[in-house]
Amino acid sequence: HEFFIDLMGPPPPCGPPRHCVRPFSGILCLFLTACSRELLYQEQVELFGLPGGGFRDMTYEDMKKMPLLDAVIRETLRLHSPIHSIMRYVRSDIPVPQGLAAPSEDGVYVVPKGYTVMASPALSQLDPLYWKDATSWDPSRWLDASGFAAQARKQYDESSKVDFGFGLVSKGTESPYLPFGAGRHRCIGEQFALLQIGMVIVTMLRKIELRLEGPFPKPDYTVRLLLCICGSTSLADVPC
């Protein structure tokens, strides 16, 4: 616990570290049990290893030069999505383009104004119509520049950009890969989260070795609320 506190900085005034601890734990456990752990360590040695042993400190720019680490993070977020659904209110009638969502080849489906539509990253990121071996954890899919994963990433990160009031961001709405949401409410802390996740993994790679004694647990999408009472160390875990 103290190790994670030290990595993530001091906790907020009332309670434990932020909600991003849960995605961290999933990513760390998954990568630690994967066969690519040694490859990740070798990537560190090749890029940051010192002649006499040990590693040099990393800079912000260095975080962009580790393709295997990036692939491990993205594949874990694909397989264990931090969010399971994205809901939007329909403000005007929307014709659905021909494709997987259309009811037939010669019909046009219209989502009426006033309805609520939902996109589920938990489904689209595991859809076998899109992803080869969809339920298998395979970071190498992100290293193939011409593969589907690379295309999905480009759609998510480099599609039409809009300034919703906090700088230009990619809408990402055309991609089946939606780990941080999409559109106006896409997570504004996405880049910080990716940076922090990468730093945690790198730090653990360099300093310790962990193993799970049993199989990795399956995703649990039960919605729960952590209530923190200021001035108290106790938490109330309340089902929603």
Side-chain angles (χ1 to χ4, degrees):
H1 176 71
E2 293 179 356
F3 177 77
F4 283 104
I5 294 289
D6 183 59
L7 284 174
M8 298 179 63
C14 104
R18 304 156 188 81
H19 64 277
C20 48
V21 170
R22 184 171 296 176
F24 276 161
S25 62
I27 289 172
L28 291 170
C29 289
L30 193 56
F31 110 84
L32 286 169
T33 59
C35 60
S36 59
R37 183 174 59 245
E38 182 62 28
L39 295 177
L40 284 168
Y41 184 81
Q42 289 303 317
E43 184 177 61
Q44 289 296 303
V45 172
E46 293 172 6
L47 294 175
F48 310 111
L50 298 174
F55 301 92
R56 70 169 177 83
D57 292 336
M58 293 189 303
T59 66
Y60 174 74
E61 293 300 322
D62 286 332
M63 294 298 297
K64 304 176 183 179
K65 302 175 182 177
M66 293 178 281
L68 183 55
L69 176 64
D70 180 77
V72 165
I73 293 174
R74 291 185 181 276
E75 178 67 354
T76 306
L77 290 173
R78 181 192 71 83
L79 201 60
H80 296 265
S81 176
I83 54 177
H84 55 70
S85 57
I86 306 168
M87 292 182 286
R88 297 290 185 267
Y89 175 79
V90 180
R91 305 181 69 89
S92 61
D93 292 354
I94 302 177
V96 178
Q98 293 293 338
L100 293 176
S104 65
E105 295 182 358
D106 56 356
V108 177
Y109 184 77
V110 177
V111 181
K113 175 183 177 181
Y115 276 47
T116 298
V117 296
M118 183 184 78
S120 175
L123 293 177
S124 65
Q125 294 180 183
L126 297 175
D127 192 336
L129 293 175
Y130 290 115
W131 309 90
K132 181 181 179 181
D133 298 325
T135 58
S136 298
W137 190 77
D138 180 14
S140 65
R141 72 174 82 236
W142 299 92
L143 302 176
D144 180 2
S146 60
F148 178 79
Q151 298 175 31
R153 175 182 178 177
K154 186 174 182 180
Q155 288 176 323
Y156 192 58
D157 292 340
E158 302 177 21
S159 63
S160 57
K161 296 190 176 183
V162 181
D163 188 346
F164 294 114
F166 44 83
L168 285 174
V169 294
S170 171
K171 291 178 65 177
T173 52
E174 298 179 2
S175 176
Y177 179 69
L178 304 164
F180 292 95
R184 179 181 296 273
H185 298 287
R186 181 167 175 167
C187 178
I188 61 174
E190 175 181 352
Q191 296 307 314
F192 177 71
L194 291 172
L195 174 65
Q196 199 171 36
I197 290 169
M199 284 302 300
V200 170
I201 292 178
V202 167
T203 301
M204 295 190 72
L205 273 171
R206 294 182 175 192
K207 294 182 177 293
I208 60 177
E209 182 177 348
L210 298 176
R211 295 186 180 89
L212 284 178
E213 295 183 354
F216 188 80
K218 295 181 178 180
D220 179 5
Y221 292 117
T222 302
V223 177
R224 306 187 74 84
L225 175 65
L226 287 177
L227 298 180
C228 173
I229 302 175
C230 291
S232 171
T233 57
S234 63
L235 293 174
D237 194 5
V238 182
C240 293

